[in-house]
Amino acid sequence: MYSNNAKKSVTELLSIAGVTVNGNAPWDIKVHNDNFYERVLAGGSLALGESYMEKWWDCAHPDEFISHLISSDLENTIKKSTKLKTEIVLTKVLNYQTQTRARNNIHMHYDMGNEVFRATLDKRMVYSCAYWRDAATLDEAQENKLELACRKLKLKPGMHVLDIGSGWGSFSKFAAENYGVRVTGISISEEQVKYSKMICEGLPVEIKLMDYRELNQQFDCIASFGMFEHVGHKNHRIYMQIANQCLKDDGLFLLETIGNPVTRTYIDPWMDKYIFPKSLMPSITQMGQAIEGIFLVE
């Protein structure tokens, strides 16, 4: 038997987000198992996602449903569970992105098989934000982004560029082919390194299976796309210090990252378990503290 109180509580919370249980809007949810209510109250976002996987509920447009939840700021309405509170405390104390832990975290996501990502991404396998100005397709938007990055770095033939977290080699290959630069790309994903070496064969590109903390070489400029999210707040400062040490005095460092509008030291439990283990979307405050006295921001 399920609790009527739990059903009432969940229904009221969802109504704050403009979501009606068993309603007719594309973002409304259809509940097929009444134990859903108590489970979600006890387990939060992780329980919500896992109960969806188990077909306890469904929705015509899950993306719109999630958008409604996020925009309504339900996170601050719902009292955090004891388990989540404990996890938040641990993230402040422990370093979940040591070199050993970082490899394990990355392995779970990025080494699941290149075919998965090839079916999802653009033709260049760019796994970070696209630049949609004057673009009609994802392929065009990602090429625009790579072109914009090269121009921001003011690349010139003969430069030696470092690509931290080089992914599937898209930037390394594009920069070498179109700007005549030499590129060293590093990643701790074995699958990414294997793929990058294949597509960059014959170009002045060297791809290494290496953690950024192992770098000890200087470059004319540095680029990093969608990798800073995996550094962790305990390592933000050391990341910037290492980038500074690897950059020539007049060099430019281009950093692209997903940002968080608020400062946190933890990630949503669903994201942590199923998407990006122990990652963190940095806030402007966290990035500012990390670069203070090291870089000038443009």
Side-chain angles (χ1 to χ4, degrees):
M1 294 291 292
Y2 72 94
S3 166
N4 279 320
N5 288 335
K7 181 176 181 178
K8 181 181 178 182
S9 296
V10 172
T11 301
E12 289 177 351
L13 284 168
L14 290 176
S15 69
I16 295 173
V19 176
T20 302
V21 175
N22 298 324
N24 297 318
W27 52 83
D28 289 336
I29 67 171
K30 309 290 185 183
V31 175
H32 307 302
N33 186 327
D34 284 328
N35 292 316
F36 161 82
Y37 303 105
E38 286 189 344
R39 182 174 179 181
V40 169
L41 278 183
S45 65
L46 183 58
L48 181 67
E50 290 184 333
S51 61
Y52 176 78
M53 292 165 64
E54 295 168 24
K55 303 185 187 305
W56 283 26
W57 65 275
D58 62 30
C59 179
H61 291 281
D63 55 337
E64 292 191 33
F65 167 64
I66 297 299
S67 178
H68 273 68
L69 296 188
I70 293 173
S71 61
S72 67
D73 199 25
L74 274 185
E75 182 181 0
N76 291 324
T77 304
I78 303 171
K79 186 178 180 180
K80 292 184 174 66
S81 67
T82 302
K83 181 179 179 182
L84 182 55
K85 286 179 180 177
T86 302
E87 177 65 19
I88 292 171
V89 171
L90 288 176
T91 62
K92 293 179 182 295
V93 177
L94 302 177
N95 185 353
Y96 284 123
Q97 293 85 10
T98 62
Q99 285 185 241
T100 299
R101 286 173 172 167
R103 287 181 185 272
N104 292 335
N105 296 336
I106 292 300
H107 174 73
M108 175 183 165
H109 184 90
Y110 291 96
D111 288 339
M112 68 173 67
N114 289 333
E115 290 305 315
V116 174
F117 297 99
R118 189 178 286 111
T120 308
L121 306 178
D122 66 304
K123 66 182 181 181
R124 296 180 185 274
M125 298 275 280
V126 183
Y127 199 27
S128 58
C129 302
Y131 185 60
W132 284 95
R133 180 179 293 178
D134 300 324
T137 67
L138 180 59
D139 285 344
E140 291 173 352
Q142 291 293 19
E143 184 166 325
N144 284 355
K145 191 269 290 290
L146 296 176
E147 172 64 27
L148 179 63
C150 290
R151 286 193 280 112
K152 281 179 174 287
L153 287 167
K154 300 180 181 179
L155 297 187
K156 296 177 182 178
M159 280 185 168
H160 191 186
V161 182
L162 171 64
D163 185 0
I164 303 178
S166 53
W168 288 275
S170 55
F171 172 75
S172 298
K173 185 174 189 292
F174 184 89
E177 287 179 331
N178 294 280
Y179 282 83
V181 296
R182 183 162 59 100
V183 186
T184 295
I186 66 168
S187 171
I188 55 175
S189 164
E190 294 181 1
E191 288 295 317
Q192 287 185 334
V193 168
K194 186 193 310 180
Y195 184 88
S196 298
K197 286 183 175 180
M198 177 188 71
I199 67 166
C200 293
E201 187 175 359
L203 294 170
V205 175
E206 182 181 19
I207 304 294
K208 298 180 178 181
L209 185 66
M210 175 189 285
D211 189 283
Y212 69 92
R213 285 161 285 203
E214 299 173 294
L215 289 165
N216 60 0
Q217 184 179 353
Q218 280 206 322
F219 300 85
D220 295 299
C221 56
I222 301 174
S224 183
F225 302 91
M227 181 270 182
F228 196 60
E229 301 91 323
H230 299 289
V231 169
H233 72 104
K234 288 283 186 179
N235 304 306
H236 284 166
R237 185 70 175 177
I238 188 66
Y239 177 90
M240 295 299 178
Q241 290 172 339
I242 290 173
N244 182 49
Q245 292 168 10
C246 291
L247 189 62
K248 292 181 180 179
D249 289 342
D250 58 348
L252 291 170
F253 173 30
L254 186 146
L255 177 67
E256 179 195 277
T257 180
I258 302 171
N260 201 323
V262 296
T263 297
R264 290 194 177 97
T265 59
Y266 62 95
I267 189 173
D268 174 82
W270 165 264
M271 292 285 290
D272 184 41
K273 183 174 181 179
Y274 289 101
I275 311 297
F276 292 122
K278 300 297 176 284
S279 62
L280 178 75
M281 311 312 163
S283 68
I284 289 290
T285 298
Q286 288 168 318
M287 289 189 282
Q289 291 172 341
I291 67 171
E292 187 172 346
I294 299 177
F295 290 113
L296 296 176
V297 179
E298 294 187 358

